[in-house]
Amino acid sequence: MLYSATNMALTMTNEAYLSILECQLYPEGSPLNYGLVNSIQSAKRTSVKHCDNINFYQRILHHEIDSLQQARLLTSQKVVTSGKQFIYVWDLKNTLVRSENERPAAQIKLALDDSSSSIIGPALCVAKNKQIVVNGAENGYLALWNLADYQTGSNQRALMPRNKNKITEDPTNKILSCDCKEDSTNISCTSSRGNVIIWDYRTNKIAQNVEKAHKAAAMSCHMNPHKEHYLLTSSADGIIEWWDTRKMKNVFKNSEPSPLSTFKQHQSSVNKVSWSPHNNELFASCSDDCSVIIWNTEVNRDLFLPFIQ
């Protein structure tokens, strides 16, 4: 399934929906792959959003009408979404409604604290097996919730974080992305000032804090699911950095950041990087330059697939 968090402007009113699409992936080399890309490019030109192998599956009307920031898959039947005031955990089996005016009930609500002033940030990640949800809040905190703490049938308004740590003191230095792994207690995050930070939530200490790891805003990060210490980060100036977290230079030692390698091909902001779930040497990146690139870290060059650029 492909999960897309979008704000959809309707004719009469503005509503925030979580659109759930079912996407069939064709084998490598299949001519249908080319047909898919052609359909996407045609849809972009004509504003007709249609592809032969992507079908509408389900739509959830979000609780926060004017704000739906991110969506993450927790299990095959559970989705985590973030608004501005709360993070919601949805059970897809129980989100069907009988009328357009009826809103589905989220299974669990997560809040940063008991006040209404703390605002959920755009950075959201989940560790599925651990039932962990992490958010980079607008106030500079990384907050971690363990869904196992929620008591079914209780009257609690919202589940509070199990751990929190102040990552950025400067209110203009926003947390833009975060990532976590199933087999690690480290949370990686990036900020609008180009910083890369690693927080160990077990000890509640910052393990790494590399200022100006990127010269522009650090948009995305992803920890390698196969190799414990490999980390990717990307920035608004089109640069991708590959790090070994054991060798990242710490600013407190007054040394320059030293990534293992730097990848330059994109012509605009790289909004997302993602390691391959099947190969520890490959990763993908997508950019505002309307291209997707597959990279090979082993040879430090991109395996360019122009039909998906």
Side-chain angles (χ1 to χ4, degrees), residues 5-298:
T6 57
N7 287 330
M8 301 180 63
L10 304 182
T11 304
M12 299 299 294
T13 183
N14 290 333
E15 297 283 4
Y17 291 101
L18 170 64
S19 298
I20 303 176
L21 308 176
E22 187 176 46
C23 180
Q24 179 181 356
L25 302 180
Y26 298 115
E28 183 178 359
S30 168
L32 291 175
N33 274 325
Y34 296 89
L36 167 62
V37 175
N38 291 336
S39 296
I40 292 175
Q41 292 175 344
S42 174
K44 184 177 179 181
R45 289 192 297 268
T46 63
S47 297
V48 178
K49 297 176 175 61
H50 172 73
C51 290
D52 290 338
N53 69 330
I54 299 180
N55 302 305
F56 177 79
Y57 180 75
Q58 192 172 339
R59 186 179 71 178
I60 300 173
L61 189 59
H62 207 254
H63 281 293
E64 297 184 22
I65 296 176
D66 60 348
S67 178
L68 174 51
Q69 299 194 87
Q70 298 286 344
R72 297 289 184 269
L73 180 65
L74 188 63
T75 70
S76 61
Q77 291 296 325
K78 289 186 179 181
V79 181
V80 178
T81 65
S82 59
K84 288 288 188 180
Q85 296 299 323
F86 297 101
I87 295 173
Y88 303 86
V89 181
W90 305 87
D91 186 340
L92 298 183
K93 294 180 181 178
N94 299 323
T95 56
L96 297 178
V97 295
R98 293 180 293 275
S99 68
E100 291 187 0
N101 296 326
E102 182 181 357
R103 292 182 181 274
Q107 184 184 29
I108 305 173
K109 283 202 304 185
L110 314 178
L112 289 168
D113 51 41
D114 291 324
S115 71
S116 58
S117 59
S118 297
I119 300 176
I120 299 294
L124 180 70
C125 65
V126 299
K128 301 173 185 177
N129 294 339
K130 293 182 179 180
Q131 296 287 287
I132 284 175
V133 177
V134 180
N135 179 251
E138 285 285 323
N139 59 8
Y141 278 91
L142 268 181
L144 179 145
W145 294 263
N146 191 323
L147 300 183
D149 295 339
Y150 182 78
Q151 298 177 1
T152 305
S154 66
N155 294 324
Q156 59 189 125
R157 175 173 174 265
L159 184 65
M160 298 298 155
R162 176 181 285 194
N163 301 85
K164 286 200 304 185
N165 195 309
K166 186 77 167 179
I167 300 298
T168 64
E169 297 291 340
D170 184 349
T172 65
N173 188 21
K174 303 294 185 183
I175 301 173
L176 298 183
S177 73
C178 62
D179 188 49
C180 52
K181 290 179 61 177
E182 300 291 346
D183 58 351
S184 174
T185 59
N186 285 339
I187 307 292
S188 63
C189 69
T190 62
S191 79
S192 57
R193 292 287 181 87
N195 298 357
V196 177
I197 303 162
I198 298 177
W199 169 48
D200 187 336
Y201 65 80
R202 180 180 57 84
T203 62
N204 202 24
K205 294 181 178 180
I206 295 177
Q208 293 281 359
N209 182 4
V210 182
E211 291 189 355
K212 301 297 182 182
H214 288 273
K215 295 180 180 179
M219 306 298 293
S220 174
C221 62
H222 191 216
M223 304 171 78
N224 193 306
H226 312 284
K227 293 190 175 182
E228 179 181 359
H229 302 288
Y230 281 3
L231 173 70
L232 287 172
T233 60
S234 68
S235 64
D237 58 3
I239 303 299
I240 301 169
E241 304 280 17
W242 170 31
W243 305 85
D244 185 329
T245 56
R246 296 166 298 184
K247 301 176 182 179
M248 295 173 74
K249 300 295 184 181
N250 196 300
V251 290
F252 301 116
K253 298 178 181 178
N254 298 317
S255 53
E256 293 294 324
S258 58
L260 292 176
S261 189
T262 299
F263 300 84
K264 302 178 181 179
Q265 182 71 48
H266 288 292
Q267 304 303 311
S268 189
S269 174
V270 180
N271 300 318
K272 186 69 177 178
V273 285
S274 181
W275 289 103
S276 166
H278 310 296
N279 187 314
N280 59 21
E281 305 292 348
L282 301 181
F283 71 89
S285 60
C286 63
S287 167
D288 279 350
D289 63 13
C290 298
S291 69
V292 175
I293 301 178
I294 310 299
W295 305 82
N296 188 338
T297 59
E298 186 176 10

